[in-house]
Amino acid sequence: MATTPAPRASDGPAVPTAADPLASPRDVRLFWWASTSDALGTQTSGIVLPLLLLTLGYSPAAVGLIAGASAAFGLLLGPLAAVPADRGARKTVMLWSAGLAALAMATVSVMVTMGRPPLVLLLCAVLVERLCTAAYDAAARGTVAMICPPEGYPRLVARLEVGDNVALVLGPLLGGALYQLGRAWPFVVDALSYAVTAVCVGFMRADLRAAGNGTAPATAPTDRPSDGERGTARTGPSREGPDRRERRLRREALLTEAGAGLRLVGTTPLLRLVTLWTAVVNGALSALYFGVLFSLERDGHSGSATGLVLAVSGAAGIAGALAAPALTVRLGAARTFLTVTWLLVPLAAGLAAARSPWAFAVLFGGVCLILPCATVVLQSRTIATTPPHLQARAGAVLAAAAGGAAAVGPAAAGLLAARAGSAGPALGCTAALIALAAYTGLAHPRTLKDTGSTS
């Protein structure tokens, strides 16, 4: 469930055209509809969940507890959910995750219809949905490489954000309208969106198992103790029984497999760059968005001003995602990436001086317009660099870094606004983006060029 409507550098599938060099256009279309439906339902229900909790009489602390717990739950469990996906159960993970999430949101809608739902039950349903979303996202990140050849990555990745931005624009509007009809309707739509996701994934024909992943973890031969080890466990000084030891070894093997993505990211220069860049940019986007909210509230603007900023930024994100493939081909991957990184600096600085809603909308829209170009470069190279059997686990690590930074953004914006006024968040983000651009230009001038070309 979405907790922050601010745009972010994210990934997601997209609709191909007849000219796309895709292995299975039918599967890509199904994948796009699955993820777009998922995103639209999430935005529809996520925008009204805090309002629903406050209307039902729950305190702001309870609202923060649910939002914070659900976000942390997903970040922690994402790498674990990626293990079975990389081991060959990618489609199964996606199907069951979407189905259970649909059941969780249907449960929320029933509880809301019946009256004031207990906070514990509501929290459990939201956490189940968050776990399912984390599992689905982890499995989906590795799907792009399974249904698209390397030469098609930039075009497909360029459209990854189209569905997300469409959902960002339409979801809050749909959620607000449905909430006026009845409190449960946004959650009904979210449940239906997960059902559509499950159906689309079920009709995909591609083999989503990574080549060379094997059917068992590398530590499988040592998971079960030998007969001699069993005898030692019974008669030796250790009181750990064979069953308990076997469970411990399996837990250790699972954690080792889950940590494979972290080890890959830590040892690959490109993935380290992607981790740093997405974390800083997502944190800055989140802080900038809340800084805009603080400024609009200070100047006495109504909620329609916030809607204007979101609408313009969402439309700009769609336009940027559609134009990104041609721009990256014309300018080249490294030049495009560095140009976008430096252009973020004056746009963020301009937000510190902006006063009118239209100025905020234009500047924030400019950020969302150019951001997909850098996202296309980074995600295309990430997919091409990451081995197929580690796609989900490495993607989960990158998502955890970006999501964690985005979660810190609102708190950082509030602290900066309290210390330096409403312009504080924009000034702080400008400083962080300058440091990021300088580091990227000095420390990684050839990182993108050295990883090969997929554009």
Side-chain angles (χ1 to χ4, degrees):
M1 223 174 253
T3 57
T4 301
R8 61 188 179 88
S10 60
D11 58 325
V15 178
T17 65
D20 287 344
L22 301 176
S24 177
R26 176 182 179 274
D27 282 340
V28 175
R29 285 193 293 269
L30 288 170
F31 188 39
W32 183 85
W33 281 110
S35 294
T36 300
S37 174
D38 178 13
L40 181 61
T42 296
Q43 291 290 343
T44 299
S45 65
I47 199 69
V48 302
L49 178 62
L51 178 61
L52 170 67
L53 293 172
L54 294 174
T55 303
L56 292 174
Y58 293 113
S59 66
V63 177
L65 171 65
I66 290 181
S70 62
F73 207 55
L75 292 176
L76 291 174
L77 294 179
L80 293 177
V83 173
D86 276 340
R87 289 184 59 193
R90 192 178 312 278
K91 188 172 184 178
T92 301
V93 170
M94 295 168 70
L95 278 172
W96 277 98
S97 298
L100 290 176
L103 181 61
M105 287 296 97
T107 302
V108 171
S109 64
V110 171
M111 288 191 297
V112 172
T113 301
M114 294 177 63
R116 190 176 188 273
L119 182 60
V120 174
L121 294 180
L122 194 60
L123 178 60
C124 288
V126 172
L127 290 181
V128 169
E129 187 266 352
R130 184 65 258 174
L131 170 61
C132 293
T133 300
Y136 179 89
D137 289 346
R141 289 184 195 99
T143 304
V144 174
M146 303 295 105
I147 62 176
C148 178
E151 62 269 21
Y153 292 165
R155 188 179 297 273
L156 180 54
V157 171
R159 296 171 184 163
L160 297 179
E161 296 188 3
V162 171
D164 284 343
N165 280 284
V166 168
L168 181 66
V169 175
L170 298 181
L173 297 176
L174 180 61
L178 290 173
Y179 189 74
Q180 297 300 319
L181 296 177
R183 295 174 179 175
W185 281 112
F187 304 100
V188 172
V189 169
D190 197 9
L192 291 176
S193 74
Y194 281 120
V196 171
T197 297
V199 170
C200 290
V201 172
F203 277 103
M204 291 176 64
R205 297 173 181 172
D207 184 1
L208 302 182
R209 293 172 295 180
N213 69 323
T215 58
T219 55
T222 61
D223 280 351
R224 182 177 297 276
S226 64
D227 292 338
E229 290 173 329
R230 290 178 185 270
T232 302
R234 294 189 186 99
T235 60
S238 174
R239 296 185 179 182
E240 185 180 36
D243 293 338
R244 183 177 179 182
R245 180 172 181 270
E246 183 175 347
R247 289 194 298 269
R248 177 177 61 80
L249 290 174
R250 290 190 180 279
R251 286 195 302 269
E252 292 175 354
L254 176 62
L255 293 176
T256 299
E257 286 195 86
L262 181 61
R263 291 191 295 273
L264 178 67
V265 171
T267 56
T268 306
L270 173 66
L271 297 185
R272 291 200 302 268
L273 173 62
V274 173
T275 303
L276 174 66
W277 194 91
T278 54
V280 173
V281 170
N282 275 278
L285 280 174
S286 180
L288 287 172
Y289 173 75
F290 276 86
V292 170
L293 292 184
F294 298 153
S295 296
L296 292 174
E297 182 184 13
R298 178 205 61 189
D299 295 336
H301 294 289
S302 63
S304 60
T306 303
L308 172 66
V309 174
L310 286 176
V312 172
S313 61
I318 295 173
L322 293 175
L327 289 175
T328 54
V329 170
R330 181 179 296 272
L331 297 178
R335 184 179 300 174
T336 299
F337 173 66
L338 290 174
T339 300
V340 169
T341 305
W342 277 109
L343 285 177
L344 290 173
V345 173
L347 290 171
L351 288 170
R355 290 295 178 265
S356 70
W358 274 108
F360 286 121
V362 170
L363 290 169
F364 206 77
V367 172
C368 297
L369 178 66
I370 66 174
L371 193 60
C373 292
T375 302
V376 165
V377 172
L378 291 184
Q379 292 192 9
S380 298
R381 298 304 171 86
T382 297
I383 296 172
T385 302
T386 306
H389 64 284
L390 290 174
Q391 289 276 341
R393 280 172 281 183
V397 173
L398 299 178
V408 174
L415 180 61
L416 289 170
R419 296 291 181 87
S422 58
L427 294 176
C429 291
T430 300
L433 291 172
I434 290 175
L436 176 66
Y439 172 79
T440 302
L442 293 175
H444 297 277
R446 295 185 301 273
T447 297
L448 294 173
K449 294 180 180 179
D450 291 344
T451 57
S453 177
T454 59
S455 51

